[in-house]
Amino acid sequence: MKSDRLLSILLLLQTRGRVPAHELATRLEVSVRTIYRDVEALSASGVPVYAERGRHGGIELLAGFRTDVTGLTADESRALFILAAQGAHAALGLDAALGSALRKVMAALPAPHRPAAEATSRRVLVDSTRWKGGPQRAADLDVLQDAVFADRRLRLRYRHSGAAAPSTYTVDPYGLVCKAGVWYLVADRSGTPRLFRADRVRSATPLADPVRRRPGVELADAWEVLRRQVEDRPGGIEVTVRVRRDFLDMFTRLTASALTALPEDDGEGEWVTARLEYGAVPHARSLLVFADRIEVVTPPEVREELAGAAASVTELYQSDGRAGA
């Protein structure tokens, strides 16, 4: 709608100052000609806005002009209060600040939208942590956050999974990402994007040197590359299993990260077939936790791996005496 677009232009100009017409057109997905017509409409309605043409020109509000209109719709109001439930701000030390900001937004909301916004904060809860994720080392985000916002390079002492000792790297941070309750530092190392789990950072030292990011690359761009590298990583070994029907729901929840497709339940018989993927044969040992509720059908090497592990456990518990006795 034109009214929404005019308000968007007004708020962008208040936030950004002078903005080129082509940038406004790109952000609002209209033509430059439409932007100039909208500027004329704003001016006619009493908003002190003007345009300067030329290489360094743009559209700008008269210095000192502000408006306190929020222009929030009912859905936009709900979205803000769902944001308050996500919890990531608490890890960044912004819990109190967000609460204060939302109270100010609530005061500025049109009266008809306030009940819906208040109800959202009571009726929608977003918990980003995994079920039974186990204890995790607390991530110290203070130094990482300071370096990200100060645009400084970082020297990290970082312990990789399974490594005996930390390694030292000099990196150029783009920002922090919270993925399923786990914080990551997205940074370039020697010009190549890298992902560092914040809870594996043993120490982080900001350097005097300014950050050296690749031109035109933003946090979202670097994260997309890294996310695809993880998700598109070549698969390992495919495992076909039979699952007892009465255990299917629990099995699906507990193996969600390894399932290659949801099991097709035709509602008949005692067993349902499912397929999973593991990085290597030994990784499939995690299936032993399901005991006789599942059976590996293929491949043979996984059946042998599980049979050998089960035999070792049986021998351990059938042996006379206790270990160390």
Side-chain angles (χ1 to χ4, degrees):
M1 295 175 59
K2 182 177 179 179
S3 58
D4 289 339
R5 192 171 66 246
L6 293 177
L7 182 59
S8 294
I9 292 174
L10 179 57
L11 295 176
L12 281 168
L13 295 178
Q14 280 193 174
T15 304
R16 299 275 305 281
R18 180 177 298 181
V19 182
H22 66 83
E23 182 176 333
L24 288 173
T26 299
R27 290 181 66 116
L28 300 177
E29 299 181 346
V30 295
S31 67
V32 172
R33 180 176 296 180
T34 297
I35 292 296
Y36 281 121
R37 284 201 297 265
D38 288 346
V39 169
E40 291 175 1
L42 284 171
S43 181
S45 66
V47 176
V49 59
Y50 62 95
E52 288 189 4
R53 300 184 182 273
R55 181 178 179 183
H56 301 291
I59 298 168
E60 191 172 359
L61 293 171
L62 190 67
F65 175 80
R66 303 289 296 177
T67 178
D68 61 359
V69 63
T70 65
L72 290 174
T73 66
D75 284 345
E76 290 167 343
S77 304
R78 291 190 184 98
L80 281 175
F81 283 84
I82 288 175
L83 171 68
Q86 294 189 14
H89 48 277
L92 298 174
L94 299 174
D95 203 1
L98 182 60
S100 175
L102 289 174
R103 286 191 293 273
K104 293 176 182 177
V105 171
M106 179 66 77
L109 282 177
H113 296 344
R114 292 175 190 169
E118 290 178 342
T120 297
S121 63
R122 298 195 307 270
R123 298 291 180 261
V124 178
L125 175 65
V126 179
D127 186 344
S128 59
T129 57
R130 296 179 179 181
W131 290 109
K132 299 181 180 180
Q136 291 184 353
R137 184 179 185 272
D140 184 359
L141 297 176
D142 290 343
V143 176
L144 299 179
Q145 186 181 182
D146 290 345
V148 164
F149 287 113
D151 288 332
R152 295 292 181 182
R153 307 190 89 193
L154 271 175
R155 180 172 291 117
L156 300 180
R157 289 184 66 251
Y158 184 80
R159 187 189 64 78
H160 292 276
S161 178
S167 301
T168 301
Y169 304 114
T170 297
V171 301
D172 297 290
Y174 286 92
L176 296 166
V177 173
C178 185
K179 173 72 169 176
V182 179
W183 282 95
Y184 296 89
L185 174 71
V186 176
D188 277 354
R189 179 183 168 218
S190 301
T192 302
R194 291 285 185 266
L195 204 55
F196 301 92
R197 273 186 63 143
D199 58 358
R200 292 180 183 162
V201 174
R202 293 298 175 258
S203 67
T205 305
L207 304 180
D209 301 334
V211 69
R212 303 172 189 173
R213 302 187 184 111
R214 286 166 287 142
V217 178
E218 298 291 339
L219 171 61
D221 304 319
W223 169 251
E224 181 65 15
V225 170
L226 292 165
R227 185 185 65 80
R228 287 190 176 277
Q229 286 178 0
V230 172
E231 293 183 353
D232 298 342
R233 189 174 294 162
I237 185 167
E238 186 177 90
V239 178
T240 301
V241 301
R242 297 194 310 157
V243 186
R244 292 190 186 277
R245 184 180 307 284
D246 58 3
F247 189 68
L248 183 59
D249 287 344
M250 179 66 73
F251 171 81
T252 302
R253 288 197 296 270
L254 295 178
T255 61
S257 61
L259 281 173
T260 57
L262 291 176
E264 296 183 4
D265 185 0
D266 58 9
E268 299 179 1
E270 181 183 358
W271 299 88
V272 178
T273 299
R275 290 176 175 79
L276 308 98
E277 187 174 83
Y278 292 97
V281 169
H283 297 172
R285 282 192 172 206
S286 61
L287 294 173
L288 286 171
V289 72
F290 301 118
D292 61 350
R293 294 185 179 94
I294 75 160
E295 178 192 4
V296 172
V297 179
T298 61
E301 55 267 34
V302 171
R303 287 180 61 92
E304 294 171 5
E305 179 77 18
L306 268 61
S312 297
V313 172
T314 300
E315 181 182 354
L316 175 65
Y317 283 96
Q318 288 181 344
S319 62
D320 294 332
R322 297 180 179 178

